[in-house]
Amino acid sequence: MSETEEFSHPTRDGERDVLELEMEQSVRQIESRRTQLGVLIGSGILQLPIWGFAMSYGVFQQYYFDNWALKGDRSVTGVIGTTANGVMYLSMPLLFALFTRRWAHRRQLAALCGTVIACASFFLSSYSTTVGHLLATQGIVSALGCALVYSPTTLSLGEWYSTGNRALAYGIVLSCKNIVGTGCPFLLRALIDHYGFRTTLKAWTAIVGGTSILGIFLIPTHPSKVSIHQTRARKIPWEFLRHRSIYFYSIAIIFQSSGYGIPQTYLSTYARDITMLSQTSGTLMLALFNAPGIIASSFFGWLSDNKRVTLSTQAVSSIPPICCTLATFLFWGLTTQGSLGLLIIFSMTFGFFSGGYSATWGGMLKQMEHESAERNEPVDPGMLYGLLNGVRGIGYASGGFAGMELLNAGTISASSRFGYGTSYGPLILFTGLSSLLGGSKSWSYNTLKARSVLNFKGIPYTQSWVSYPDIKLLGASLGLPPNPQGRAYTLPTIVHKPSVTSTPSGAITDSIAIALHLDKAFPSPPLFPSGDASYALFVAVAKIITLIEPGFRPYVVPRVPAHLDERGKQYFTETRSVALGKPLHQVLPTDKETIDKLWKLVETESAPLVKMLKGREQKKGPFFEGEKAGFADLWVACHLAFIERFDKELFGKILGLGNGELKALYEACLPWVEGQGEEKEWPIPQAA
């Protein structure tokens, strides 16, 4: 489906004065970058209270076995760690959905509530006398509290890094998670040896409370989400469920995570029972399992974001599970009594690749976002990330229960000298096999302008997608007069009989006419907050955009057909080739001289916009009028979104102009630009 409105290109004679951009960093930009850094640091700190217990549970598991003083089945303790991981991940789709929009402004409060829940459950678990109580407090309630800390803060992290290096940011935070997994086993082992598990749990309660509060206050909610609950609520887009990628990756994640939690839980007891190593060696195995993930997470995050390495998302995400399978079968399965070296190799190899698997999710998200864009479908990356975490929870939970049963299943037919021939043999096979198995939006800036105005004002609406050849038929059937210049009929078009009286159908076309009409019919919030001064600002901004446009259209127009339906693709290719006087594919610049010339034009003509957004000293807010958004801001954001749909490299370069002023504007306007109405099929009349 497609939609468009033509824009004329002005011609200019003579020289024109160009405002030069001042290169000094403004206080506002310094604060913005400090905030981003603070968010990254805060997210790293939070890995300790969120994951420290779950990643080090093997230490407690070993203690419970060696010093049994609880009522109930001892084997149930093997489920607690994987249950905690499972509960955390399973709750994330719901929590991500709640805090993406509806409760976005209460993210910090929710994270603090999660801290209270986690602290209370860990403290109560120190008084446990039964296995059931231990499972409830450590495996379920504490996990819910940690998930309530994780979900809102992770959403904010993704939004602060939404326009660049998101996969790398995730990778750095996951590296911090693995630092926690490396150090925590030694810390908890030392505390347990000196004070027992009950006092250790009380100390852990204090650690969770202190680090959580510090990390939470370093992660403010992104400005684009602070007031989003006041705008018109929109339904969560589920169109991505029609794509095969979500199911392919979900199945892979379920299998990978079902095997990932088993070494975390049983490595310590395996080192003691089978290879006859000391308690310290068992703790060392757990630390060595988590340590390589420090490097792996950043590496796979970089690999997913890197433009120079030509590996597909499927290829990058297949590397970890394949290598985990080889490590399990070749190293863990062949360990013998006293074989410390081979077990160390397994711990580090499996830990490196399994620890880096989550960092490939950034690439998965980008692929699924691209698939939605190709189909002109809306998609919510935060919700996608929450769902991936949810299916990982299914894997953790199923792997935990399977591990308990497999440990009691007896041995398999193999030499008892090796790990395969011990009671852990079925676990080893399950871990290896499960690891192996783990391996659209509106695009036209003119239609985006109309939609962004509707979203900005919180006006409920339905939307219909119209193919290029049907635009003329639709316009004529609605009684719209043909345009005096350019193409006779264009989009966007809105229909609202209660307020539009110029046509019997209640239809009006042209993005500017639509905006002015909606601002008059629905005056709050105003598109022109300072009245005529804001309107004059918009006229100036629109003029500047027309000067920038010749620099980016050659990159965009040739790529439009790939995003259209077959009829629209043929129509667009034929009509634009005639209009441009050459085949459409020849419009895309390829030689360095033309590329440099076009970029120089974009850079030069964008300088006044950057300077206007920067404003005078003490200016606050990302918009042209500081903290008051208006139509001029939406106009620029929609053109940036238009470029982002077709050329992400050029989009990134433009956002990098100045000191990030355009980036800040775009991020602040994203909820209005990306908002979607309810889908509705509009009947298209047949040609006579």
Side-chain angles (χ1 to χ4, degrees), residues 302-315:
W302 169 83
L303 197 61
S304 297
D305 263 343
N306 196 282
K307 294 182 177 65
R308 297 181 181 179
V309 180
T310 56
L311 288 177
S312 68
T313 301
Q314 290 91 337

Side-chain angles (χ1 to χ4, degrees), residues 645-665:
R645 302 289 197 260
F646 298 98
D647 195 321
K648 294 188 185 301
E649 183 178 354
L650 177 61
F651 171 73
K653 287 179 67 177
I654 293 174
L655 291 198
L657 291 172
N659 294 314
E661 289 84 359
L662 287 169
K663 179 181 178 181
L665 172 71

